[in-house]
Amino acid sequence: MEERLQKYMAECGVGSRRKCEEWIAQGLVKVNGEVVSEMGTRIDPEKDEVVFRGKVLKISQPLTTVMLNKPAGYVTTSRDQFHRPDVTQLIDMPGVRLYPVGRLDYQTTGLLLLTNDGDLAYRLTHPARQVEKVYRAYLSGEITHEAVKMLESGVVLDDGYKTQPAKVSVLSVKGGNTKIDITITEGKNHQVRRMAKAVGFPVMRLKRIQEGSLKLGSLKEGSYRILSEAEIEKLKNEA
């Protein structure tokens, strides 16, 4: 059965579908000995030979997705100029290479998916998909009704970008601080922190507790679990 070249590459575990599209455009992929650079190219994995950077691609490892409760002090990129530990070091699955789906910044904790399923990664990270992500934020200051309304209407960030409307649930306001749950559908860099700062109540601690229908639940910090096929299928349908 034929499928798109970038989808097949992602299924082989070389990277996300979006990254594979970049490599195809750069002329780094050959199909049956010929360089292919068109996004619409379809291949039959049973008949066609796909070569990326001199290596024949084959789907050899099972598609696996895990949910990690990310601790603070880990990066979600494989290359870090400060040589800080990355989240893949917390996953003990020999022979299976997983990639983070999206990012959580160095100090943010909570739900992070890692997968070698390029189709799932593509669906969850594509800007048009609008997958909801829920964060529990501990803010400095006792948030005002006006500030909540600003977050719910969309706020202008420090680079001039106006965010899409967020959902905000105020959980507690006491002792000079505020605890809220905030739901967003975008993935701008440090978005929740920048949104909170823009309305005058900067984030002290931030934890992602839900993505789509998938909830972090009681999973301990630093621990992970493999998602079931039903959970993965539900995430794909939501995206």
Side-chain angles (χ1 to χ4, degrees):
M1 182 181 295
E2 288 192 347
E3 60 181 302
R4 290 185 179 276
L5 176 58
Q6 59 267 39
K7 181 176 184 291
Y8 175 71
M9 291 177 64
E11 290 172 346
C12 290
V14 297
S16 69
R17 193 191 300 189
R18 190 177 303 174
K19 194 64 181 178
C20 291
E21 289 174 350
E22 293 177 10
W23 288 326
I24 293 170
Q26 293 168 12
L28 299 177
V29 183
K30 292 183 178 181
V31 177
N32 300 326
E34 299 291 332
V35 173
V36 173
S37 58
E38 296 181 3
M39 290 303 109
T41 300
R42 302 182 71 88
I43 60 106
D44 184 340
E46 298 297 322
K47 300 178 181 178
D48 297 321
E49 181 184 73
V50 179
V51 176
F52 172 59
R53 290 177 173 166
K55 180 181 178 181
V56 177
L57 298 186
K58 295 289 183 182
I59 299 177
S60 57
Q61 57 180 346
L63 294 181
T64 304
T65 302
V66 304
M67 178 174 67
L68 168 72
N69 186 346
K70 175 191 173 296
Y74 284 80
V75 297
T76 53
T77 54
S78 57
R79 295 181 181 179
D80 179 63
Q81 61 177 325
F82 302 111
H83 306 290
R84 295 171 294 185
D86 73 82
V87 291
T88 60
Q89 296 172 19
L90 297 168
I91 310 299
D92 184 18
M93 298 181 69
V96 178
R97 187 175 183 183
L98 303 177
Y99 302 86
V101 180
R103 294 183 179 182
L104 288 180
D105 66 52
Y106 186 62
Q107 291 299 339
T108 298
T109 64
L111 192 160
L112 179 69
L113 297 178
L114 295 95
T115 189
N116 57 10
D117 185 339
D119 182 49
L120 175 64
Y122 175 82
R123 294 189 189 206
L124 291 176
T125 57
H126 195 283
R129 301 293 180 168
Q130 301 286 300
V131 178
E132 290 191 339
K133 295 175 281 290
V134 184
Y135 294 81
R136 181 150 296 165
Y138 298 81
L139 310 179
S140 176
E142 298 188 358
I143 199 166
T144 62
H145 178 74
E146 290 74 20
V148 171
K149 288 300 181 184
M150 289 172 66
L151 292 171
E152 292 177 333
S153 300
V155 297
V156 178
L157 302 181
D158 47 15
D159 59 359
Y161 176 82
K162 185 174 181 179
T163 65
Q164 294 182 14
K167 299 175 185 177
V168 180
S169 176
V170 179
L171 304 179
S172 66
V173 180
K174 60 182 179 181
N177 297 313
T178 302
K179 179 168 67 173
I180 67 171
D181 282 351
I182 180 169
T183 303
I184 63 173
T185 56
E186 301 170 287
K188 301 297 181 183
N189 194 33
H190 304 296
Q191 181 169 336
V192 173
R193 294 181 185 276
R194 293 164 66 198
M195 290 174 69
K197 184 178 179 181
V199 298
F201 298 90
V203 168
M204 299 185 297
R205 284 192 292 135
L206 188 63
K207 180 178 186 177
R208 184 155 66 193
I209 60 173
Q210 186 172 343
E211 183 165 359
S213 60
L214 190 65
K215 297 181 179 180
L216 185 62
S218 60
L219 187 65
K220 293 182 178 180
E221 193 168 287
S223 298
Y224 64 91
R225 69 173 179 85
I226 299 174
L227 298 191
S228 67
E229 290 185 10
E231 287 175 317
I232 294 170
E233 192 63 28
K234 190 172 184 180
L235 280 174
K236 286 184 176 181
N237 289 337
E238 291 170 347

